[in-house]
Amino acid sequence: MIIKELKGLANGANIINLYGWVDNVRDHGGLTFIDLRDFDSSIQLIFDKESKITKTVKNEFYIMVSGVFNQRDKNLINKKTLFGDVEILIESLTIINESKTLPFQIEDGIDTDESIRLKYRYLDLRRNEMKQNIIARSNTFKSIRNIMNQLDILEIDTPTLIKSTPEGAKDFLVPSRKSPGSFYALPQSPQMYKQLFMMSGFPNYYQIAKCYRDEDSRKDRQPEFTQLDLEFSNGSPDLVKENIEIIVQHIFKEAFDLKIPIPFKTITYNESMTLYGTDKPDLRIKETISDITDVFAQTEIKFIKEIIEDSGKVLSLFTQKSLSRKEIDLLDEKIKNLGSNGLGWFKVTDNEISGPLAKILLPNEKQELIAFGDGLIVFQAGNLYEVGKYMDILRQEIFKDRVEDSTSFLWVDDFPYFEIENGSLQPSHHPFTAPKDTDIFKNNPNESKALHYDLVLNGVELGSGSQRINDPQVQKLVLEKWGLTEEDIGERFGWFIEALSYGTPQHAGFAIGIDRLVAEILKQPSIRDVIPFPKTQSGMDPLTEAPSLINESDLAEYNLRYIEDEQ
């Protein structure tokens, strides 16, 4: 390391040896200058007029040089770099390894397609901005382990070859050579194993765990991701939240030198949906959604009337900003692309109201809308939970210039136990979450709440947790309400329900997405920018070209073979 080699050296000191990459080569009237870069820093090398050793040296060659440490003249000091006040007068240079022509420059702010950067990720990681992201990730891991030791939480690992169990996404399957026709699954999370630790009598558990979910990748999702996983015996939602706040506060301070206040604010799921249209609101935006259903109680606008009669809502946002028709049309296009029927809007100017529906407003409707003041009222009408996502997007778009440069944490709890997906009930968290009221769950699971809580940072869901089911009969009931048959329950979860049957204590836990946490703190547009070797949105690895086909002879050992794709 340059820093280590130069420590304590005096001007004109003995010959020193340095290793690094050639960052650039500059020829200035007979003198040749090379910036030598290693992992930590860079320093200027000087070759005198008689030197011929630099002619074959190019960018990203890895070299060793020997030379004399020298202080630069005051008027030549480069204040932008760590060693801008010194240089090395070179006496010898050895090329350790040459470099091919680079696919992109090793510098920050490059405008290079991400697929190219991922294909040559080892070069991308030489760039300082990417290097700093990975260092921040490493510091986060160190900080986690430090606070866990302080809190006396046990680090215990769990298997990565497990039984396939449904947890919300598709499993990645691993064929077994020794048991032909049988498969392991990679864990979507260590959920059941960490619960087994509680059943085994351990007081707590944590793990920096690799998890795998075969689902569509997005900027905040990867098929392989890393999470901080925790579980507490005799735990409750309040106990878990208190510990998570201490842990997160410590990570921010130690790894990023940022101070955050605790405790975090808590709101219910219904409050979140009503005020923000989402269960992961960005509270840095102060404006909230208004329910203006009452304004249209006697409306003659047909589609609004039908929606209200069907127990729907009319939700609105008001802004004093003067948006042009082009800006309004862009908002309309944005939410239509998400499934909305279109943007409803009224513009109020000097007690006059305009907009596509303004002419068919009743007098009292006009007066109530004019009462908002001069500005723009945008609205969506429909089921609260269906149109909420459009209101969330509108809120973010309209008020994006109001986002404060701060950190806003939020707990969201009191989630419904089930949500309807494709006409069937699905647990909103996972089927090991305890119902808030077992009697309500037994009689009317659609109305049941879950002891489930999410942590949100700046509109990003960092993680989820819950109090777990510790009663085998309740666990079996949940799986039945989910729609599993007696046979399915026995086949998939019989071993787990058996384990619950031996004096299982109450327990609760949580998991934080480390990739999301680091990306949000560093204000990176995608978690791929803080993962050393991520996959593309399609799940491909451009570097190794995985996933790839396997030789049929190798497949045969697993009792597998390719079949024709029938279409």
Side-chain angles (χ1 to χ4, degrees):
M1 297 293 181
I2 292 174
I3 291 176
K4 182 178 180 181
E5 294 293 336
L6 298 185
K7 189 175 182 180
L9 288 182
N11 200 36
N14 293 333
I15 296 292
I16 61 170
N17 298 324
L18 296 176
Y19 294 82
W21 287 275
V22 174
D23 204 44
N24 64 65
V25 181
R26 306 182 304 281
D27 191 346
H28 286 235
L31 282 179
T32 301
F33 300 87
I34 288 180
D35 287 336
L36 183 72
R37 185 191 77 246
D38 70 358
F39 184 80
D40 296 300
S41 54
S42 65
I43 192 169
Q44 180 171 275
L45 313 178
I46 299 180
F47 299 82
D48 63 27
K49 297 179 181 179
E50 304 302 321
S51 176
K52 298 179 181 179
I53 58 179
T54 61
K55 292 184 178 179
T56 58
V57 175
K58 298 180 181 179
N59 283 14
E60 295 309 302
F61 277 32
Y62 195 77
I63 62 175
M64 183 192 78
V65 293
S66 296
V68 179
F69 174 83
N70 186 53
Q71 293 282 346
R72 300 174 71 171
D73 292 339
K74 288 185 178 180
N75 60 333
L76 296 178
I77 291 176
N78 182 357
K79 296 181 180 179
K80 296 181 180 179
T81 62
L82 177 62
F83 293 114
D85 59 336
V86 298
E87 56 197 8
I88 307 297
L89 305 178
I90 299 303
E91 296 192 356
S92 67
L93 178 151
T94 301
I95 297 174
I96 295 177
N97 204 317
E98 297 183 2
S99 172
K100 294 171 65 176
T101 301
L102 297 171
F104 50 80
Q105 293 303 305
I106 310 300
E107 58 188 27
D108 292 347
I110 58 174
D111 185 18
T112 301
D113 187 271
E114 186 184 49
S115 62
I116 300 298
R117 289 174 50 213
L118 294 182
K119 182 176 181 179
Y120 299 95
R121 189 61 157 188
Y122 45 87
L123 296 179
D124 195 36
L125 292 177
R126 290 185 191 175
R127 300 190 304 116
N128 187 63
E129 58 187 5
M130 286 302 302
K131 187 164 55 181
Q132 294 306 316
N133 287 352
I134 304 307
I135 291 173
R137 182 185 180 92
S138 175
N139 290 339
T140 301
F141 289 166
K142 291 178 186 176
S143 178
I144 288 170
R145 290 193 164 96
N146 287 341
I147 187 61
M148 293 303 169
N149 289 339
Q150 291 178 33
L151 296 174
D152 198 25
I153 301 176
L154 301 171
E155 181 173 9
I156 319 175
D157 61 322
T158 55
T160 53
L161 293 175
I162 67 171
K163 185 179 180 67
S164 177
T165 55
E167 288 193 34
K170 295 292 185 181
D171 285 328
F172 282 102
L173 301 178
V174 181
S176 170
R177 182 177 60 83
K178 294 182 178 180
S179 300
S182 297
F183 294 82
Y184 300 104
L186 299 180
Q188 295 186 34
S189 77
Q191 181 60 46
M192 286 186 283
Y193 284 97
K194 64 182 179 182
Q195 289 188 244
L196 290 174
F197 286 134
M198 303 302 100
M199 300 173 203
S200 302
F202 288 88
N204 51 45
Y205 142 97
Y206 92 92
Q207 180 181 191
I208 296 175
K210 286 291 185 184
C211 303
Y212 308 86
R213 294 183 182 176
D214 190 0
E215 58 188 351
D216 292 338
S217 295
R218 299 200 300 255
K219 68 177 183 178
D220 61 345
R221 285 185 181 177
Q222 280 278 288
E224 178 183 1
F225 58 96
T226 308
Q227 69 183 32
L228 168 59
D229 208 53
L230 301 104
E231 200 76 16
F232 298 91
S233 185
N234 301 315
S236 65
D238 287 342
L239 174 72
V240 173
K241 289 178 183 179
E242 180 181 342
N243 278 279
I244 291 296
E245 289 174 353
I246 293 170
I247 292 164
V248 170
Q249 185 184 54
H250 177 87
I251 293 170
F252 267 67
K253 180 66 174 68
E254 186 174 84
F256 299 94
D257 196 26
L258 296 171
K259 293 182 179 179
I260 57 171
I262 58 174
F264 303 147
K265 180 178 180 179
T266 298
I267 64 174
T268 67
Y269 172 81
N270 283 339
E271 289 172 331
S272 185
M273 294 301 296
T274 300
L275 293 174
Y276 307 104
T278 177
D279 59 5
K280 47 182 182 293
D282 187 346
L283 296 195
R284 295 174 301 173
I285 300 173
K286 303 304 180 187
E287 288 77 5
T288 58
I289 295 168
S290 296
D291 184 344
I292 58 171
T293 308
D294 289 347
V295 173
F296 299 96
Q298 306 299 322
T299 191
E300 294 180 358
I301 302 173
K302 184 178 178 182
F303 79 92
I304 294 181
K305 183 177 182 179
E306 291 175 349
I307 286 170
I308 293 175
E309 289 175 349
D310 195 31
S311 302
K313 299 285 186 181
V314 183
L315 305 178
S316 73
L317 287 163
F318 172 73
T319 176
Q320 293 178 326
K321 289 167 57 176
S322 179
L323 297 184
S324 67
R325 183 57 190 266
K326 181 179 180 181
E327 290 173 314
I328 293 172
D329 288 343
L330 287 174
L331 292 174
D332 178 59
E333 181 181 358
K334 195 172 192 72
I335 62 172
K336 277 183 176 177
N337 289 337
L338 294 173
S340 170
N341 290 325
L343 180 69
W345 60 273
F346 299 104
K347 186 175 284 190
V348 179
T349 308
D350 296 330
N351 290 325
E352 295 292 331
I353 189 164
S354 59
L357 301 173
K359 292 182 180 180
I360 51 177
L361 286 173
L362 297 173
N364 67 300
E365 292 173 341
K366 286 185 179 181
Q367 289 306 309
E368 292 200 53
L369 294 173
I370 289 171
F372 277 87
D374 284 6
L376 181 71
I377 303 165
V378 298
F379 72 89
Q380 292 286 278
N383 178 277
L384 170 65
Y385 302 107
E386 291 176 359
V387 301
K389 62 182 177 182
Y390 311 132
M391 297 304 298
D392 174 39
I393 293 298
L394 290 170
R395 179 173 173 270
Q396 292 183 57
E397 286 294 315
I398 293 172
F399 302 112
K400 58 187 175 185
D401 59 338
R402 305 266 187 99
V403 175
E404 301 174 358
D405 187 17
S406 60
T407 301
S408 175
F409 279 96
L410 173 71
W411 289 109
V412 180
D413 62 13
D414 224 18
F415 280 77
Y417 197 97
F418 284 114
E419 55 190 30
I420 297 177
E421 290 185 9
N422 301 321
S424 61
L425 290 179
Q426 295 290 337
S428 60
H429 188 32
H430 57 56
F432 314 109
T433 299
K436 189 172 183 179
D437 187 305
T438 304
D439 288 335
I440 293 176
F441 184 86
K442 287 179 180 178
N443 299 319
N444 195 352
N446 291 15
E447 300 298 323
S448 180
K449 301 290 186 181
L451 290 172
H452 164 198
Y453 34 88
D454 282 357
L455 181 61
V456 179
L457 169 60
N458 299 345
V460 174
E461 180 195 318
L462 280 189
S464 295
S466 68
Q467 186 167 312
R468 321 305 189 186
I469 298 168
N470 68 315
D471 183 329
Q473 296 307 314
V474 174
Q475 182 63 79
K476 190 174 181 181
L477 176 66
V478 166
L479 296 173
E480 289 172 350
K481 297 292 186 183
W482 190 13
L484 299 185
T485 65
E486 187 83 20
E487 184 179 358
D488 286 337
I489 293 171
E491 171 64 24
R492 296 186 180 187
F493 300 102
W495 61 274
F496 185 71
I497 293 173
E498 174 74 8
L500 286 172
S501 305
Y502 294 94
T504 298
Q506 177 179 308
H507 54 289
F510 199 78
I512 294 177
I514 295 177
D515 313 307
R516 291 186 184 183
L517 175 66
V518 176
E520 186 60 30
I521 296 174
L522 297 180
K523 296 181 171 58
Q524 295 299 303
S526 166
I527 62 172
R528 292 191 293 276
D529 288 319
V530 300
I531 298 174
F533 297 99
K535 308 294 188 291
T536 64
Q537 285 195 346
S538 63
M540 294 289 296
D541 176 10
L543 174 61
T544 65
E545 298 185 343
S548 57
L549 297 176
I550 301 296
N551 290 334
E552 292 197 13
S553 58
D554 293 332
L555 281 180
E557 291 190 47
Y558 297 86
N559 201 31
L560 298 173
R561 64 182 176 84
Y562 290 113
I563 60 174
E564 293 293 331
D565 185 12
E566 298 179 3
Q567 296 188 8

mmCIF file of all heavy atoms in Angstrom, residues 343-369:
data_model
loop_
_atom_site.group_PDB
_atom_site.id
_atom_site.type_symbol
_atom_site.label_atom_id
_atom_site.label_comp_id
_atom_site.label_asym_id
_atom_site.label_seq_id
_atom_site.Cartn_x
_atom_site.Cartn_y
_atom_site.Cartn_z
ATOM 1 N N LEU A 343 -56.010 10.417 -15.067
ATOM 2 C CA LEU A 343 -55.879 11.402 -14.005
ATOM 3 C C LEU A 343 -57.085 12.335 -13.973
ATOM 4 O O LEU A 343 -57.452 12.933 -14.984
ATOM 5 C CB LEU A 343 -54.608 12.226 -14.215
ATOM 6 C CG LEU A 343 -54.326 13.318 -13.182
ATOM 7 C CD1 LEU A 343 -53.963 12.686 -11.843
ATOM 8 C CD2 LEU A 343 -53.198 14.236 -13.661
ATOM 9 N N GLY A 344 -57.705 12.453 -12.811
ATOM 10 C CA GLY A 344 -58.738 13.464 -12.621
ATOM 11 C C GLY A 344 -58.098 14.721 -12.041
ATOM 12 O O GLY A 344 -57.236 14.623 -11.159
ATOM 13 N N TRP A 345 -58.504 15.903 -12.533
ATOM 14 C CA TRP A 345 -57.896 17.124 -11.996
ATOM 15 C C TRP A 345 -58.812 18.329 -12.172
ATOM 16 O O TRP A 345 -59.644 18.383 -13.073
ATOM 17 C CB TRP A 345 -56.544 17.400 -12.648
ATOM 18 C CG TRP A 345 -56.575 17.593 -14.147
ATOM 19 C CD1 TRP A 345 -56.502 16.622 -15.104
ATOM 20 C CD2 TRP A 345 -56.688 18.842 -14.856
ATOM 21 N NE1 TRP A 345 -56.552 17.171 -16.363
ATOM 22 C CE2 TRP A 345 -56.658 18.537 -16.237
ATOM 23 C CE3 TRP A 345 -56.801 20.172 -14.454
ATOM 24 C CZ2 TRP A 345 -56.764 19.511 -17.216
ATOM 25 C CZ3 TRP A 345 -56.887 21.157 -15.435
ATOM 26 C CH2 TRP A 345 -56.860 20.821 -16.801
ATOM 27 N N PHE A 346 -58.648 19.270 -11.256
ATOM 28 C CA PHE A 346 -59.297 20.578 -11.318
ATOM 29 C C PHE A 346 -58.239 21.635 -11.015
ATOM 30 O O PHE A 346 -57.404 21.442 -10.125
ATOM 31 C CB PHE A 346 -60.425 20.700 -10.280
ATOM 32 C CG PHE A 346 -61.533 19.707 -10.456
ATOM 33 C CD1 PHE A 346 -61.640 18.604 -9.615
ATOM 34 C CD2 PHE A 346 -62.485 19.863 -11.464
ATOM 35 C CE1 PHE A 346 -62.657 17.683 -9.766
ATOM 36 C CE2 PHE A 346 -63.506 18.941 -11.623
ATOM 37 C CZ PHE A 346 -63.601 17.848 -10.780
ATOM 38 N N LYS A 347 -58.305 22.734 -11.743
ATOM 39 C CA LYS A 347 -57.400 23.844 -11.483
ATOM 40 C C LYS A 347 -58.220 25.026 -10.981
ATOM 41 O O LYS A 347 -59.232 25.387 -11.582
ATOM 42 C CB LYS A 347 -56.631 24.224 -12.748
ATOM 43 C CG LYS A 347 -55.560 25.300 -12.514
ATOM 44 C CD LYS A 347 -54.736 25.567 -13.773
ATOM 45 C CE LYS A 347 -53.731 24.459 -13.995
ATOM 46 N NZ LYS A 347 -52.761 24.807 -15.076
ATOM 47 N N VAL A 348 -57.776 25.604 -9.861
ATOM 48 C CA VAL A 348 -58.462 26.752 -9.275
ATOM 49 C C VAL A 348 -57.602 27.998 -9.459
ATOM 50 O O VAL A 348 -56.430 28.015 -9.054
ATOM 51 C CB VAL A 348 -58.741 26.526 -7.767
ATOM 52 C CG1 VAL A 348 -59.434 27.753 -7.165
ATOM 53 C CG2 VAL A 348 -59.586 25.267 -7.559
ATOM 54 N N THR A 349 -58.200 29.031 -10.071
ATOM 55 C CA THR A 349 -57.504 30.305 -10.290
ATOM 56 C C THR A 349 -58.478 31.452 -10.045
ATOM 57 O O THR A 349 -59.504 31.573 -10.744
ATOM 58 C CB THR A 349 -56.958 30.400 -11.739
ATOM 59 O OG1 THR A 349 -56.190 29.233 -12.034
ATOM 60 C CG2 THR A 349 -56.087 31.650 -11.905
ATOM 61 N N ASP A 350 -58.173 32.291 -9.043
ATOM 62 C CA ASP A 350 -59.005 33.461 -8.730
ATOM 63 C C ASP A 350 -60.482 33.083 -8.597
ATOM 64 O O ASP A 350 -61.361 33.680 -9.242
ATOM 65 C CB ASP A 350 -58.827 34.543 -9.821
ATOM 66 C CG ASP A 350 -57.407 35.076 -9.872
ATOM 67 O OD1 ASP A 350 -56.750 35.092 -8.817
ATOM 68 O OD2 ASP A 350 -56.965 35.463 -10.968
ATOM 69 N N ASN A 351 -60.754 32.075 -7.778
ATOM 70 C CA ASN A 351 -62.124 31.617 -7.504
ATOM 71 C C ASN A 351 -62.851 31.071 -8.730
ATOM 72 O O ASN A 351 -64.078 30.975 -8.733
ATOM 73 C CB ASN A 351 -62.963 32.751 -6.885
ATOM 74 C CG ASN A 351 -62.509 33.069 -5.479
ATOM 75 O OD1 ASN A 351 -62.106 32.175 -4.732
ATOM 76 N ND2 ASN A 351 -62.553 34.341 -5.115
ATOM 77 N N GLU A 352 -62.086 30.729 -9.749
ATOM 78 C CA GLU A 352 -62.643 30.073 -10.931
ATOM 79 C C GLU A 352 -62.044 28.688 -11.036
ATOM 80 O O GLU A 352 -60.858 28.482 -10.738
ATOM 81 C CB GLU A 352 -62.345 30.876 -12.203
ATOM 82 C CG GLU A 352 -62.998 32.245 -12.263
ATOM 83 C CD GLU A 352 -64.518 32.150 -12.394
ATOM 84 O OE1 GLU A 352 -64.990 31.140 -12.965
ATOM 85 O OE2 GLU A 352 -65.205 33.052 -11.910
ATOM 86 N N ILE A 353 -62.865 27.718 -11.458
ATOM 87 C CA ILE A 353 -62.396 26.340 -11.525
ATOM 88 C C ILE A 353 -62.462 25.838 -12.955
ATOM 89 O O ILE A 353 -63.428 26.088 -13.691
ATOM 90 C CB ILE A 353 -63.229 25.428 -10.576
ATOM 91 C CG1 ILE A 353 -62.594 24.038 -10.477
ATOM 92 C CG2 ILE A 353 -64.684 25.325 -11.010
ATOM 93 C CD1 ILE A 353 -63.101 23.236 -9.291
ATOM 94 N N SER A 354 -61.398 25.145 -13.379
ATOM 95 C CA SER A 354 -61.338 24.592 -14.737
ATOM 96 C C SER A 354 -60.874 23.148 -14.656
ATOM 97 O O SER A 354 -60.427 22.668 -13.614
ATOM 98 C CB SER A 354 -60.382 25.415 -15.603
ATOM 99 O OG SER A 354 -59.067 25.416 -15.044
ATOM 100 N N GLY A 355 -60.995 22.464 -15.787
ATOM 101 C CA GLY A 355 -60.614 21.056 -15.852
ATOM 102 C C GLY A 355 -61.629 20.280 -16.669
ATOM 103 O O GLY A 355 -62.726 20.781 -16.971
ATOM 104 N N PRO A 356 -61.301 19.046 -17.048
ATOM 105 C CA PRO A 356 -62.180 18.270 -17.931
ATOM 106 C C PRO A 356 -63.595 18.078 -17.388
ATOM 107 O O PRO A 356 -64.550 17.958 -18.163
ATOM 108 C CB PRO A 356 -61.453 16.916 -18.038
ATOM 109 C CG PRO A 356 -60.031 17.206 -17.707
ATOM 110 C CD PRO A 356 -60.058 18.319 -16.723
ATOM 111 N N LEU A 357 -63.758 18.044 -16.060
ATOM 112 C CA LEU A 357 -65.076 17.786 -15.473
ATOM 113 C C LEU A 357 -65.686 19.039 -14.847
ATOM 114 O O LEU A 357 -66.770 18.960 -14.237
ATOM 115 C CB LEU A 357 -64.967 16.692 -14.402
ATOM 116 C CG LEU A 357 -64.431 15.331 -14.863
ATOM 117 C CD1 LEU A 357 -64.221 14.417 -13.666
ATOM 118 C CD2 LEU A 357 -65.371 14.689 -15.869
ATOM 119 N N ALA A 358 -65.037 20.167 -14.994
ATOM 120 C CA ALA A 358 -65.481 21.379 -14.292
ATOM 121 C C ALA A 358 -66.903 21.794 -14.669
ATOM 122 O O ALA A 358 -67.675 22.263 -13.823
ATOM 123 C CB ALA A 358 -64.509 22.525 -14.566
ATOM 124 N N LYS A 359 -67.281 21.604 -15.928
ATOM 125 C CA LYS A 359 -68.590 22.081 -16.401
ATOM 126 C C LYS A 359 -69.753 21.293 -15.815
ATOM 127 O O LYS A 359 -70.891 21.778 -15.820
ATOM 128 C CB LYS A 359 -68.641 22.025 -17.926
ATOM 129 C CG LYS A 359 -67.711 23.040 -18.605
ATOM 130 C CD LYS A 359 -67.844 22.982 -20.106
ATOM 131 C CE LYS A 359 -66.928 23.999 -20.788
ATOM 132 N NZ LYS A 359 -67.059 23.947 -22.280
ATOM 133 N N ILE A 360 -69.520 20.084 -15.336
ATOM 134 C CA ILE A 360 -70.637 19.283 -14.811
ATOM 135 C C ILE A 360 -70.607 19.191 -13.283
ATOM 136 O O ILE A 360 -71.291 18.360 -12.684
ATOM 137 C CB ILE A 360 -70.659 17.869 -15.431
ATOM 138 C CG1 ILE A 360 -69.293 17.174 -15.318
ATOM 139 C CG2 ILE A 360 -71.110 17.928 -16.864
ATOM 140 C CD1 ILE A 360 -69.301 15.751 -15.865
ATOM 141 N N LEU A 361 -69.805 20.049 -12.658
ATOM 142 C CA LEU A 361 -69.805 20.114 -11.194
ATOM 143 C C LEU A 361 -71.051 20.828 -10.700
ATOM 144 O O LEU A 361 -71.515 21.800 -11.307
ATOM 145 C CB LEU A 361 -68.570 20.874 -10.700
ATOM 146 C CG LEU A 361 -67.215 20.159 -10.781
ATOM 147 C CD1 LEU A 361 -66.092 21.138 -10.420
ATOM 148 C CD2 LEU A 361 -67.179 18.941 -9.854
ATOM 149 N N LEU A 362 -71.603 20.365 -9.589
ATOM 150 C CA LEU A 362 -72.696 21.065 -8.930
ATOM 151 C C LEU A 362 -72.151 22.314 -8.239
ATOM 152 O O LEU A 362 -70.957 22.366 -7.898
ATOM 153 C CB LEU A 362 -73.360 20.156 -7.909
ATOM 154 C CG LEU A 362 -74.044 18.892 -8.464
ATOM 155 C CD1 LEU A 362 -74.517 18.006 -7.314
ATOM 156 C CD2 LEU A 362 -75.197 19.258 -9.384
ATOM 157 N N PRO A 363 -72.952 23.322 -8.008
ATOM 158 C CA PRO A 363 -72.486 24.561 -7.369
ATOM 159 C C PRO A 363 -71.776 24.311 -6.041
ATOM 160 O O PRO A 363 -70.738 24.917 -5.760
ATOM 161 C CB PRO A 363 -73.771 25.371 -7.183
ATOM 162 C CG PRO A 363 -74.658 24.899 -8.283
ATOM 163 C CD PRO A 363 -74.371 23.448 -8.451
ATOM 164 N N ASN A 364 -72.360 23.441 -5.191
ATOM 165 C CA ASN A 364 -71.717 23.200 -3.890
ATOM 166 C C ASN A 364 -70.379 22.482 -4.054
ATOM 167 O O ASN A 364 -69.435 22.695 -3.275
ATOM 168 C CB ASN A 364 -72.640 22.385 -2.983
ATOM 169 C CG ASN A 364 -72.858 20.966 -3.502
ATOM 170 O OD1 ASN A 364 -73.356 20.771 -4.613
ATOM 171 N ND2 ASN A 364 -72.485 19.971 -2.700
ATOM 172 N N GLU A 365 -70.258 21.608 -5.095
ATOM 173 C CA GLU A 365 -68.994 20.940 -5.369
ATOM 174 C C GLU A 365 -67.939 21.965 -5.762
ATOM 175 O O GLU A 365 -66.786 21.900 -5.306
ATOM 176 C CB GLU A 365 -69.178 19.896 -6.468
ATOM 177 C CG GLU A 365 -70.040 18.708 -6.036
ATOM 178 C CD GLU A 365 -70.365 17.758 -7.188
ATOM 179 O OE1 GLU A 365 -70.245 18.176 -8.373
ATOM 180 O OE2 GLU A 365 -70.741 16.608 -6.914
ATOM 181 N N LYS A 366 -68.333 22.927 -6.610
ATOM 182 C CA LYS A 366 -67.399 23.967 -7.023
ATOM 183 C C LYS A 366 -66.905 24.763 -5.826
ATOM 184 O O LYS A 366 -65.707 25.019 -5.682
ATOM 185 C CB LYS A 366 -68.067 24.905 -8.026
ATOM 186 C CG LYS A 366 -68.263 24.325 -9.418
ATOM 187 C CD LYS A 366 -68.824 25.369 -10.365
ATOM 188 C CE LYS A 366 -69.004 24.797 -11.773
ATOM 189 N NZ LYS A 366 -69.535 25.819 -12.716
ATOM 190 N N GLN A 367 -67.822 25.127 -4.941
ATOM 191 C CA GLN A 367 -67.449 25.946 -3.797
ATOM 192 C C GLN A 367 -66.477 25.208 -2.874
ATOM 193 O O GLN A 367 -65.511 25.794 -2.373
ATOM 194 C CB GLN A 367 -68.701 26.369 -3.021
ATOM 195 C CG GLN A 367 -69.566 27.395 -3.751
ATOM 196 C CD GLN A 367 -68.764 28.620 -4.171
ATOM 197 O OE1 GLN A 367 -68.053 29.219 -3.358
ATOM 198 N NE2 GLN A 367 -68.864 28.984 -5.441
ATOM 199 N N GLU A 368 -66.720 23.917 -2.662
ATOM 200 C CA GLU A 368 -65.845 23.165 -1.767
ATOM 201 C C GLU A 368 -64.460 22.968 -2.379
ATOM 202 O O GLU A 368 -63.454 22.945 -1.665
ATOM 203 C CB GLU A 368 -66.477 21.816 -1.422
ATOM 204 C CG GLU A 368 -67.736 21.950 -0.562
ATOM 205 C CD GLU A 368 -68.068 20.674 0.174
ATOM 206 O OE1 GLU A 368 -67.168 20.152 0.866
ATOM 207 O OE2 GLU A 368 -69.203 20.190 0.039
ATOM 208 N N LEU A 369 -64.398 22.806 -3.687
ATOM 209 C CA LEU A 369 -63.111 22.655 -4.354
ATOM 210 C C LEU A 369 -62.371 23.988 -4.414
ATOM 211 O O LEU A 369 -61.144 24.043 -4.216
ATOM 212 C CB LEU A 369 -63.289 22.076 -5.753
ATOM 213 C CG LEU A 369 -63.820 20.635 -5.807
ATOM 214 C CD1 LEU A 369 -64.131 20.225 -7.241
ATOM 215 C CD2 LEU A 369 -62.813 19.656 -5.190
#
